[in-house]
Amino acid sequence: MARSETVASGPGSRALIVDIIRSAGPVSRVELVQATGLTQPTISNIVRQLLASGVIRESGRTPSTGGKPRTLLEINPTALYAVGVQLGFEAMTFVAAGVGGGTVARQLVDGAALDDPQQVVERLAMQFRVFVDTAGIPIDSIAGVAVVVPGPLSPPLGTMFRSPTLRQWEGFPLAATLGELLPVPVVLDNDAAAAAIGEFWTRRVPRTDTFATVYMGTGIGAGVVIDGALYRGASSNAAELGHLSIDAEGVACSCGNTGCVERYAAPAAVLAEAAATRCDFLGLDLEFTAESTGQDFDRLARAAVGGHEAADALLGRSADRLAAAVVSFSNAFDLDSVVLAGPSFAIAGSLYAKAVRTRMERASFARRAHGVRIEIASNPRDSAAIGAAALVLQSSVAPGHGPVLSA
């Protein structure tokens, strides 16, 4: 049975109905009336439109209890597709997803490295065509492409303001340039924010939950979903967890703040501490570079989970510092659940989840009112690319929630 909703809290009746069918389906029209407060004629009209467009489909009937069996409705996962691209220094990840959020194709190719942005975008456009052709996805069934990168950025302008590894991309009109090369709409968004929508969509989280994702790649970010939509803030740069200060007199950060948790818990900070202490981690040569941070952190994480005492201590300190920031973050939004996503949680995610869960149970402000679920993404490495596709899908089938898609 779908949970009761407040109609005014959503961007529109269609989006509200899609959200409920997505998270609670299969459901009947009667249940939609009860859950939304909308009238039966309104529900019937919107359901008719959604059936005609193929976004939802009928999926059988309820068992008869003496009256007429009710027809059940569910999301049609093959009605529409979207492509998400995570653009990174070392690699670009392509993911295609259907309306239900399930991944139907994935491809990993060379990243941007130090190449000229124009050349990379042209390569990305060419790879997009190869990707969808290989996957057998018709172009006319693709709602759009979302490219996700670390913030800060300007989604309206389609540009990045600053990037720790993609410096030459700062100010480059990525979305507009790619849009000229592709036959589908293109949007640019934040990787952590996209991961939040991806987890929200694929986990079938009800829109009544206040949901968040903590994302750790090279840096640390987050995304918050409230009433089924991303909380954007004034410039679409909300929930920058990595730049939450945990020490007012601490290390200066490039953002202008001091004591940012990213300077203590992110992979680069952990590797810098490893190099400073000259620890030997099962083959790590301690000659770390910004470009190889992901690979080096994976090696360190493998050493930690393999029982290397010093490596485990380093990651333990990182997890404790991140946990302190997540508690403050959760207190600010009164979260129902948090999912840890991103490639840096792929190997040692359980260590971080345990630290966050332990501190949350001890120090969460609302712990006597409710618990906060702490989970790890089912696919941490691809969570941003999956989320990018989910952003496009949500915008297409539940208009009003996500970015406006325009050809």
Side-chain angles (χ1 to χ4, degrees):
M1 173 64 185
R3 293 168 64 173
S4 180
E5 301 280 354
T6 302
V7 177
S9 67
S13 299
R14 175 187 164 113
L16 176 61
I17 290 170
V18 170
D19 259 348
I20 293 174
I21 297 175
R22 172 195 60 80
S23 63
V27 297
S28 68
R29 291 168 176 82
V30 172
E31 289 174 313
L32 288 174
V33 170
Q34 295 170 346
T36 64
L38 297 171
T39 65
Q40 192 276 331
T42 298
I43 292 291
S44 295
N45 184 45
I46 295 174
V47 166
R48 191 180 304 113
Q49 295 172 13
L50 291 170
L51 286 169
S53 67
V55 171
I56 65 172
R57 64 187 180 189
E58 295 181 344
S59 61
R61 297 177 180 273
T62 59
S64 176
T65 57
K68 181 180 178 181
R70 298 172 181 174
T71 301
L72 297 175
L73 306 166
E74 67 179 6
I75 293 290
N76 178 7
T78 61
L80 203 63
Y81 297 93
V83 174
V85 181
Q86 183 178 12
L87 176 62
F89 185 94
E90 297 176 78
M92 279 192 286
T93 304
F94 287 74
V95 164
V99 175
T103 298
V104 298
R106 176 189 184 274
Q107 193 169 63
L108 190 70
V109 299
D110 290 341
L114 297 175
D115 296 342
D116 176 72
Q118 180 68 38
Q119 295 176 348
V120 175
V121 169
E122 291 173 1
R123 177 159 55 87
L124 195 162
M126 180 182 67
Q127 191 63 48
F128 165 82
R129 295 178 184 278
V130 172
F131 174 65
V132 298
D133 183 61
T134 303
I137 303 173
I139 290 290
D140 59 5
S141 70
I142 299 175
V145 175
V147 180
V148 294
V149 295
L153 49 82
S154 172
L157 296 177
T159 61
M160 285 182 268
F161 290 138
R162 187 178 71 247
S163 172
T165 56
L166 302 175
R167 293 294 175 83
Q168 68 272 34
W169 290 78
E170 295 172 7
F172 179 80
L174 193 161
T177 304
L178 183 59
E180 293 176 355
L181 300 174
L182 295 182
V184 297
V186 175
V187 295
L188 175 70
D189 220 312
N190 177 267
D191 54 3
I197 278 295
E199 293 295 325
F200 172 81
W201 197 258
T202 58
R203 288 171 179 267
R204 300 174 65 176
V205 177
R207 66 191 301 275
T208 47
D209 276 16
T210 302
F211 174 82
T213 290
V214 171
Y215 187 88
M216 190 160 76
T218 302
I220 299 172
V224 179
V225 180
I226 301 173
D227 290 333
L230 271 172
Y231 177 73
R232 291 285 185 176
S235 64
S236 292
N237 287 292
E240 275 295 332
L241 176 63
H243 298 285
L244 179 68
S245 178
I246 57 174
D247 184 355
E249 304 299 325
V251 179
C253 182
S254 60
C255 74
N257 199 0
T258 57
C260 292
V261 66
E262 195 170 280
R263 296 303 307 272
Y264 300 92
V270 178
L271 292 170
E273 186 177 353
T277 54
R278 305 304 303 172
C279 294
D280 175 21
F281 294 119
L282 306 181
L284 289 179
D285 59 13
L286 303 180
E287 296 298 327
F288 306 126
T289 65
E291 292 76 19
S292 65
T293 296
Q295 295 177 3
D296 292 331
F297 188 77
D298 279 355
R299 293 161 67 192
L300 178 60
R302 289 190 187 95
V305 299
H308 193 289
E309 185 176 346
D312 181 64
L314 276 171
L315 262 65
R317 285 193 290 275
S318 167
D320 286 342
R321 289 158 172 169
L322 180 64
V326 173
V327 169
S328 295
F329 179 63
S330 179
N331 287 346
F333 288 97
D334 195 16
L335 299 174
D336 285 299
S337 57
V338 176
V339 171
L340 305 184
S344 293
F345 290 127
I347 296 172
S350 57
L351 186 155
Y352 284 88
K354 180 180 179 181
V356 174
R357 194 175 295 119
T358 299
R359 188 175 284 262
M360 195 73 74
E361 291 171 353
R362 185 180 74 243
S364 173
F365 182 78
R367 62 188 180 279
R368 293 180 181 174
H370 68 91
V372 180
R373 298 185 300 278
I374 309 297
E375 299 175 322
I376 304 172
S378 57
N379 190 346
R381 292 196 189 280
D382 289 347
S383 52
I386 294 169
L391 274 172
V392 173
L393 293 169
Q394 188 190 49
S395 299
S396 302
V397 303
H401 275 317
V404 177
L405 300 178
S406 57

